[in-house]
């Protein structure tokens, strides 16, 4: 897989894309994994993710002498539905491939190649990618072991996988999973968002790979190093919690600030590395 002659540029080096990814001193994975929580807003969820990817790409570029290939799994129309974020991240690599099962989507022009298949079925070269990443994908994975085994093959030795997903131990995830198991999730979505909006909004969730008790044994069995986590949650009411559910959200918000347990926060960023 030959990498085209492309100049690597950090996110902040491009004036058009500046702002997609805070300066490394602010959004460093290794710093934030030691922190309980910190103020941020919805847009920072994407910025944080972009910064984690960039930092990992720069770390590997320094080790490899500049040649870093990326793999965007479930690339869709852009990271967090933002094409500019995908374009910004792509500039951190010498080459980026995308995997997206929906061939009808209009993807950002960031990819050297796009494979329109489910990731587990994607035809990818072995030991080829230095940084793989996915945004809100892992909560939908049906067979985590198959997914991670395929990923292990695709990553180069010493490569990393970064993903953001909803934390399976958060109360919202527990409620959503209980509704899914009892087959009441569609009815709940109709009540919250209206029937017209549910079809475009809702994608089936499985919640089989979004908590450490699920993630770690699969990663170990697939050959990866021990996963690392950053937990984050905005300090405002969830938009999903409407009507009487606001009272429940208020209760858990107060409980969260009293307990200071990072593993109970809504968003979990995970970093998994393949041994050298």
């Amino acid at each position: 897989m030959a990498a085209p002659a492309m100049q690597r540029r950090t996110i902040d080096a491009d004036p058009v894309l500046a702002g997609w990814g805070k300066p490394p001193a602010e959004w460093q994975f290794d710093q934030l994994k030691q922190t309980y929580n910190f103020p941020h807003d919805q847009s920072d969820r994407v910025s944080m993710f972009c910064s984690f990817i960039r930092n990992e790409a720069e770390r590997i570029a320094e080790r490899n002498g500049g040649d870093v290939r990326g793999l965007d799994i479930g690339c869709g129309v852009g990271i967090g539905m933002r094409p500019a974020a995908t374009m910004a991240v792509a500039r951190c690599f010498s080459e980026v491939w995308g995997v997206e099962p929906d061939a009808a989507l209009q993807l950002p022009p960031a990819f050297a190649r796009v494979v329109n298949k489910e990731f587990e079925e994607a035809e990818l070269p072995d030991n080829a990618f230095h940084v793989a990443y996915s945004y809100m994908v892992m909560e939908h994975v049906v067979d985590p072991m198959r997914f991670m085994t395929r990923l292990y093959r695709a990553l180069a030795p010493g490569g990393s996988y970064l993903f953001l997903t909803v934390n399976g131990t958060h109360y919202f995830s527990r409620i959503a999973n209980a509704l899914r198991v009892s087959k009441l999730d569609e009815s709940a979505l109709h009540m919250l968002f209206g029937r017209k909006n549910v079809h475009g909004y809702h994608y089936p969730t499985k919640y089989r790979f979004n908590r450490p008790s699920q993630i770690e044994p699969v990663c170990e069995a697939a050959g990866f190093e021990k996963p690392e986590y950053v937990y984050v949650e905005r300090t405002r009411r969830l938009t999903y919690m409407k009507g009487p559910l606001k009272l429940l959200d208020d209760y858990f918000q107060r409980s969260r600030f009293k307990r200071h347990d990072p593993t109970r926060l809504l968003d979990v960023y995970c970093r998994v590395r393949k041994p050298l």
Side-chain angles (χ1 to χ4, degrees), residues 110-131:
F111 305 108
R113 181 176 174 184
V114 176
V115 181
N116 291 126
K117 289 186 178 180
E118 295 286 347
F119 176 69
E120 296 85 342
E121 302 291 340
E123 298 173 0
L124 301 169
D126 291 345
N127 302 309
F129 302 99
H130 301 96
V131 182

Side-chain angles (χ1 to χ4, degrees), residues 86-107:
T86 293
M87 296 299 295
V89 165
R91 293 175 184 271
C92 301
F93 297 99
S94 53
E95 181 178 77
V96 184
W97 284 31
V99 178
E100 173 52 55
D102 190 347
L105 293 178
Q106 184 175 354
L107 276 58

Side-chain angles (χ1 to χ4, degrees), residues 153-207:
R153 284 175 47 207
L155 281 178
S160 301
Y161 177 44
L162 288 160
F163 66 89
L164 169 63
T165 187
V166 291
N167 181 9
T169 63
H170 190 271
Y171 73 88
F172 174 77
S173 300
R174 292 175 181 271
I175 293 172
N177 194 43
L179 290 171
R180 181 188 63 82
V181 171
S182 59
K183 302 187 184 302
L184 295 174
D185 50 339
E186 290 290 337
S187 298
L189 285 168
H190 290 159
M191 179 183 70
L192 292 174
F193 300 104
R195 290 184 177 274
K196 291 182 180 180
N197 298 321
V198 168
H199 179 72
Y201 167 85
H202 184 45
Y203 295 89
T205 53
K206 301 300 179 182
Y207 294 122

